[in-house]
Amino acid sequence: MVGRDKPEEPVATSHGLSKSRVCSGLQCHKKLWWEVHDEDLPERDAATEFILNQGREVGELARNHAPGGVLIDFPHDAYLERVRATRAALRHGTRRIYEASFLAEGVFCSIDILEREGPRFTAVEVKSSTKVKPEHIGDVAVQVHVARRAGVNVTRAEVMHLNRACTHPDLSDLFVREDVSPRVEAFLLDLPPELAAQFAMLAGPLPEVAIGRHCFAPRDCPFLERCWAEAPEHHVTSLYGIRSDAAWALAGDGHETILDLPPSVRLSAVAARQVRAVRSDALIVERGLGAALAKLDAPLAYLDFETVGPAVPVWPGCHPYTAVPVQFSCHVQDRRGGVAHRSWLAEGPGDPRPALAAALVAACRGAKSVLMYTRYERARIRDLADAVPALADALRDLDGRLVDLAAVVRSHVYHPDFGGSFSIKDVLPALVPELSYGGLAINDGRWASAELYRLLLKGDSMTPEERATLRADLLEYCKMDTWAMVKLLERLRELAGNGGARG
Ligand code: SF4
């Protein structure tokens, strides 16, 4: 599964294509060509690997919610054995088959759950998303097409996805099954010519495909670095707040970069500042920055959470993908004007929220303004207030002291290197170039979240040494997030001409 979809099934076989490869080609033929022909493919990052594993677990769990089936259980690349075993199960009249596998017209696919009712079959595709997404339809359509061509009378297609309303500890309604047959039938009308086009394309040289919206939909292409290296700097898609379709319409009309936007484009204040910065190739600082910083009330604290959001909820009151804070870093101004560091990281699979909330309230005690970067921390603190009623008042008080430093930057500062993003990972190199995440063992929030999940919920499979190393790496990463805010605020004060609160 890519994104929140299913793990990738056997890829292009000596027989031809797999379902995953066909779906890749639906996104972009050039992407498919590279995946089939290029031996030097980009490696999957840890966060993507985590999503794949989580998807696999969801797929296996789904079988408990559609029980009593026969699993076609062979190594993933034993294509012919899988197909033969499926045929045998069908001959025996098996009512429900997991991983039913088919090969027809050069395309291999396996169906998560194939159900028989008399002479008719239903193909059920399990997805770890919480809704049916447009890209699921093509995915299911390939399965239905191949199964039909292999002689199976599939008359109904369903997507079985996670139920957003499911609440731990009652997981009896973890899955929802949605009939997608009409959408699949409509898709099937165009599938045979698309398959023919993919086979023809693969028999030739690397196809020419221009960059476009498809590079990011339905998911980020792993070959962005190859194709986007030639894209002009300040591409119009990097204009702050622009919708993807509007950006590509402008690019299609020849306005490829921010430097050549037509006057008719209406810009927000932030986007207008971006355009001025890019055109003048200079950092822009608005006069109001000093006044905004002066509102900060010392002593200050700088707060950052790391969270995990398990697909299958594991703590009371949580739904699929509820983001639960399991770690925080907090730098706090001390009386001498220096900063002290406090941190907390959960241990083991138990509910981390009561202990985290207590440590958080203690860490921020005395700070009058608590800086966060984006509003993410505020949302998590409000969730914590619901989850830990004994500390709800203290958490609401903390909520009242939060200040979003990202909003201060967004409203007053733009550097051409921001690239339309106010993420700390984009702002920091431009404003505080001497500070970098580069030397850290973990240097990305998605990666940290995947590792936290592993540490807390799969820690039994690690050695004590591995756990200790991972804990240390995670603590360093989170600490860097708040230290970056400390240094960023120093830089903002310099830019404001020494305005703002003082410790
Ligand atoms: S980056 Fe875009 S054009 Fe290049 S292979 Fe990926 S989807 Fe195709």
Side-chain angles (χ1 to χ4, degrees), residues 27-28 30-31 34 209-212 214-215 221 223-224 227-228:
Q27 178 171 358
C28 173
K30 193 176 188 180
K31 174 174 182 272
W34 268 325
V209 180
I211 56 171
H214 56 274
C215 298
C221 174
F223 301 110
L224 290 175
C227 297
W228 280 74

Side-chain angles (χ1 to χ4, degrees), residues 266-332:
R266 295 177 62 173
L267 300 171
S268 67
V270 178
R273 188 176 307 116
Q274 177 184 7
V275 171
R276 277 191 288 138
V278 168
R279 288 201 171 134
S280 60
D281 193 23
L283 171 69
I284 288 184
V285 180
E286 302 290 351
R287 268 179 227 279
L289 178 61
L293 296 179
K295 290 182 189 160
L296 299 179
D297 209 357
L300 304 178
Y302 307 76
L303 176 66
D304 184 69
F305 285 142
E306 302 302 331
T307 61
V308 296
V312 179
V314 290
W315 296 304
C318 292
H319 312 290
Y321 299 109
T322 295
V324 174
V326 296
Q327 176 183 9
F328 73 79
S329 168
C330 189
H331 276 91
V332 190

Side-chain angles (χ1 to χ4, degrees), residues 159-395:
V159 171
M160 183 174 179
H161 60 80
L162 293 172
N163 176 14
R164 200 193 301 269
C166 172
T167 309
H168 189 280
D170 178 9
L171 301 185
S172 59
D173 61 347
L174 182 60
F175 289 97
V176 171
R177 289 174 64 153
E178 275 192 53
D179 180 7
V180 292
S181 307
R183 294 166 73 186
V184 165
E185 294 299 341
F187 196 98
L188 280 169
L189 298 175
D190 294 326
L191 187 58
E194 170 60 24
L195 290 175
Q198 290 192 7
F199 279 116
M201 177 275 297
L202 287 170
L206 178 68
E208 290 279 334
V209 180
I211 56 171
R213 204 182 327 200
H214 56 274
C215 298
F216 307 98
R219 54 191 63 88
D220 284 2
C221 174
F223 301 110
L224 290 175
E225 281 185 18
R226 293 186 188 179
C227 297
W228 280 74
E230 303 299 316
E233 206 182 0
H234 305 301
H235 194 267
V236 69
T237 50
S238 69
L239 183 65
Y240 178 77
I242 194 166
R243 291 193 334 269
S244 168
D245 51 352
W248 287 108
L250 282 166
D253 288 343
H255 308 289
E256 246 197 306
T257 75
I258 287 173
L259 292 164
D260 44 44
L261 285 175
S264 57
V265 175
R266 295 177 62 173
L267 300 171
S268 67
V270 178
R273 188 176 307 116
Q274 177 184 7
V275 171
R276 277 191 288 138
V278 168
R279 288 201 171 134
S280 60
D281 193 23
L283 171 69
I284 288 184
V285 180
E286 302 290 351
R287 268 179 227 279
L289 178 61
L293 296 179
K295 290 182 189 160
L296 299 179
D297 209 357
L300 304 178
Y302 307 76
L303 176 66
D304 184 69
F305 285 142
E306 302 302 331
T307 61
V308 296
V312 179
V314 290
W315 296 304
C318 292
H319 312 290
Y321 299 109
T322 295
V324 174
V326 296
Q327 176 183 9
F328 73 79
S329 168
C330 189
H331 276 91
V332 190
Q333 279 186 318
D334 61 29
R335 288 198 187 120
R336 288 163 298 174
V339 282
H341 182 242
R342 289 158 199 170
S343 62
W344 192 91
L345 171 54
E347 185 89 59
D351 186 350
R353 294 168 294 181
L356 180 138
L360 175 67
V361 167
C364 295
R365 189 169 290 131
K368 291 187 176 165
S369 291
V370 178
L371 291 164
M372 56 186 177
Y373 202 86
T374 77
R375 287 172 292 186
Y376 190 71
E377 275 63 31
R378 189 188 299 286
R380 300 292 75 76
I381 286 170
R382 289 179 180 175
D383 292 345
L384 276 175
D386 291 337
V388 190
L391 290 171
D393 288 346
L395 289 163

Side-chain angles (χ1 to χ4, degrees), residues 50 56 58 91 97 108 161 186 196 207-208 334 351 379 404 467 474-475 479 502:
F50 163 70
R56 262 178 224 118
V58 168
R91 268 199 309 274
I97 304 175
F108 175 91
H161 60 80
E208 290 279 334
D334 61 29
D351 186 350
D404 180 4
R467 278 202 299 272
L474 287 161
L475 286 166
K479 182 180 181 182
R502 287 284 168 215

Side-chain angles (χ1 to χ4, degrees), residues 37-266:
H37 293 299
D38 194 333
E39 290 176 2
D40 187 23
L41 296 177
E43 279 185 22
R44 280 193 196 123
D45 61 24
T48 304
E49 204 61 53
F50 163 70
I51 291 167
L52 294 174
N53 286 335
Q54 204 164 228
R56 262 178 224 118
E57 288 174 16
V58 168
E60 286 166 18
L61 206 53
R63 293 176 203 150
N64 298 338
H65 290 253
V70 168
L71 175 64
I72 304 301
D73 192 12
F74 287 89
H76 79 281
D77 56 353
Y79 310 120
L80 292 179
E81 289 86 344
R82 292 168 68 180
V83 170
R84 284 189 199 115
T86 303
R87 270 198 222 121
L90 289 170
R91 268 199 309 274
H92 284 103
T94 307
R95 296 280 302 272
R96 182 175 277 153
I97 304 175
Y98 309 128
E99 301 296 330
S101 301
F102 301 98
L103 180 59
E105 298 176 355
V107 184
F108 175 91
C109 78
S110 63
I111 297 174
D112 288 328
I113 304 171
L114 182 68
E115 295 177 336
R116 180 204 295 260
E117 203 169 318
R120 299 168 189 271
F121 288 83
T122 298
V124 183
E125 171 70 3
V126 179
K127 293 293 183 191
S128 52
S129 56
T130 55
K131 62 181 181 185
V132 176
K133 296 180 181 177
E135 63 268 27
H136 295 164
I137 301 304
D139 189 325
V140 183
V142 176
Q143 297 171 48
V144 171
H145 173 82
V146 174
R148 283 180 181 169
R149 296 294 162 112
V152 177
N153 183 27
V154 178
T155 55
R156 181 181 167 93
E158 294 183 5
V159 171
M160 183 174 179
H161 60 80
L162 293 172
N163 176 14
R164 200 193 301 269
C166 172
T167 309
H168 189 280
D170 178 9
L171 301 185
S172 59
D173 61 347
L174 182 60
F175 289 97
V176 171
R177 289 174 64 153
E178 275 192 53
D179 180 7
V180 292
S181 307
R183 294 166 73 186
V184 165
E185 294 299 341
F187 196 98
L188 280 169
L189 298 175
D190 294 326
L191 187 58
E194 170 60 24
L195 290 175
Q198 290 192 7
F199 279 116
M201 177 275 297
L202 287 170
L206 178 68
E208 290 279 334
V209 180
I211 56 171
R213 204 182 327 200
H214 56 274
C215 298
F216 307 98
R219 54 191 63 88
D220 284 2
C221 174
F223 301 110
L224 290 175
E225 281 185 18
R226 293 186 188 179
C227 297
W228 280 74
E230 303 299 316
E233 206 182 0
H234 305 301
H235 194 267
V236 69
T237 50
S238 69
L239 183 65
Y240 178 77
I242 194 166
R243 291 193 334 269
S244 168
D245 51 352
W248 287 108
L250 282 166
D253 288 343
H255 308 289
E256 246 197 306
T257 75
I258 287 173
L259 292 164
D260 44 44
L261 285 175
S264 57
V265 175
R266 295 177 62 173

